[in-house]
Amino acid sequence: MIAADPATGMTRPPVSPRRWTNTRILGHVLMALWFVSGVSLLYYLGSNVASPFVEKYWPNYISGFLVTLQIVGLSLLIGALLSVPIAVARSSKWFLLSGPAYAYVYFFRGTPLLAQTFLIYYGAGSFRAELEAVGLWTFFREAWYCVIFTFSLNTAAYQAEILRGAIQNVAKGQWEGGAALGLTRPVIFFKIILPQALMVALRPYGNEIILMIKGSAIASIVTVYDLMGETRRAYSRSYDFQAYIWAAVAYLLIVETLRRVWDRLEDRLTRHLKR
């Protein structure tokens, strides 16, 4: 029987009860498994928080955590400085500027970060004589500097594309308005366009930082003792699998803390847009 809506007088079909379809059953099963896994992990961590492994290796994890923050922080800072001229060059109508910038972005976004790290760290040894001649061998022989160099170039390519897309998202009327006021193009770009573009790029920048934090584990492969490097060393000495469980928890805490801080920062900077 079709009931009538008392407010409008129009008829409406009866509401059918929710059925337990296969998709719904699968969703509930997955949620239950996820809940059980989370509870089991919390129980395991709580029962092992005072274990001999944690007591012995927690200072190493703290040291690796600080190294990870240094790698990610320096790489993102250098990459941010490089991304501005790269983004400007990518947006240029002159092929002498846009062509090399496109090739740079295409290479570093199209190849794995691991391959790039190996290419610079191990490949530099093939040019030792040339690097010594120009005084750069002391830089490229150190794994730390090679990692910072590679990560900076990699994130600069991603940040440049994020910034370029955000700049293109700013209305052309902003350029025209600045020109009508008699401002030069550099002043219009840095005072009007760039601040608006950074607002648009906040969320993609946060995603790039999270990707860099997780990608920083690659540094451990070239003998840099970051968080994953200390984890591998702890496992090689103890053969205790909880070494990797604690590392995963540490990365989860870093990412979740950053996500919450970035959300608060975004809400703060864009509060005027929500009124």
Side-chain angles (χ1 to χ4, degrees):
M1 179 178 181
I2 300 178
D5 191 338
T8 61
M10 299 177 64
T11 59
R12 57 182 179 179
V15 180
S16 59
R18 300 181 67 182
R19 296 179 179 178
W20 286 91
T21 61
N22 293 335
T23 303
R24 189 181 176 196
I25 294 174
L26 179 61
H28 282 74
V29 170
L30 292 177
M31 288 296 296
L33 291 176
W34 178 256
F35 178 77
V36 171
S37 300
V39 172
S40 301
L41 177 61
L42 291 176
Y43 175 78
Y44 177 84
L45 296 177
S47 60
N48 287 275
V49 71
S51 64
F53 176 88
V54 175
E55 293 180 357
K56 181 177 181 180
Y57 291 107
W58 75 265
N60 301 59
Y61 277 76
I62 297 297
S63 175
F65 170 79
L66 296 177
V67 172
T68 295
L69 292 184
Q70 293 174 11
I71 292 174
V72 174
L74 286 174
S75 300
L76 289 171
L77 178 60
I78 298 173
L81 296 176
L82 294 175
S83 66
V84 176
I86 295 172
V88 173
R90 281 278 286 123
S91 303
S92 176
K93 297 180 180 179
W94 295 351
F95 181 77
L96 291 178
L97 292 177
S98 62
Y102 173 81
Y104 170 85
V105 171
Y106 183 84
F107 174 80
F108 280 98
R109 294 182 69 217
T111 56
L113 180 58
L114 177 61
Q116 297 166 17
T117 305
F118 283 176
L119 182 65
I120 292 177
Y121 179 65
Y122 294 112
S126 302
F127 303 94
R128 178 173 180 176
E130 292 78 4
L131 293 173
E132 286 179 341
V134 295
L136 292 177
W137 175 244
T138 55
F139 178 90
F140 284 98
R141 74 181 179 184
E142 298 292 337
W144 167 265
Y145 294 122
C146 287
V147 166
I148 296 295
F149 182 71
T150 307
F151 284 19
S152 299
L153 295 179
N154 179 272
T155 188
Y158 283 93
Q159 292 187 52
E161 284 299 283
I162 293 172
L163 186 59
R164 185 176 71 91
I167 291 173
Q168 291 180 347
N169 189 68
V170 178
K172 293 183 179 180
Q174 300 293 319
W175 289 96
E176 297 170 355
L181 293 174
L183 302 177
T184 61
R185 288 188 66 84
V187 173
I188 296 173
F189 177 77
F190 286 104
K191 295 293 185 179
I192 300 176
I193 304 300
L194 188 58
Q196 297 182 65
L198 291 177
M199 289 293 183
V200 177
L202 272 177
R203 180 60 57 180
Y205 269 127
N207 295 336
E208 173 60 17
I209 295 174
I210 291 175
L211 290 175
M212 281 298 299
I213 290 175
K214 294 186 291 186
S216 64
I218 292 175
S220 64
I221 302 179
V222 291
T223 69
V224 174
Y225 288 107
D226 63 336
L227 180 57
M228 183 54 66
E230 293 291 353
T231 301
R232 295 178 62 190
R233 181 158 62 175
Y235 180 77
S236 66
R237 294 177 178 179
S238 64
Y239 293 101
D240 193 335
F241 187 72
Q242 69 173 299
Y244 290 103
I245 295 179
W246 287 110
V249 170
Y251 279 110
L252 281 174
L253 290 176
I254 296 172
V255 171
E256 181 62 20
T257 302
L258 175 63
R259 186 187 67 82
R260 292 182 177 273
V261 170
W262 204 259
D263 286 344
R264 296 292 295 272
L265 177 64
E266 184 179 11
D267 291 340
R268 177 69 177 175
L269 294 177
T270 60
R271 63 188 184 279
H272 61 285
L273 301 176
K274 300 178 181 179
R275 294 177 180 175

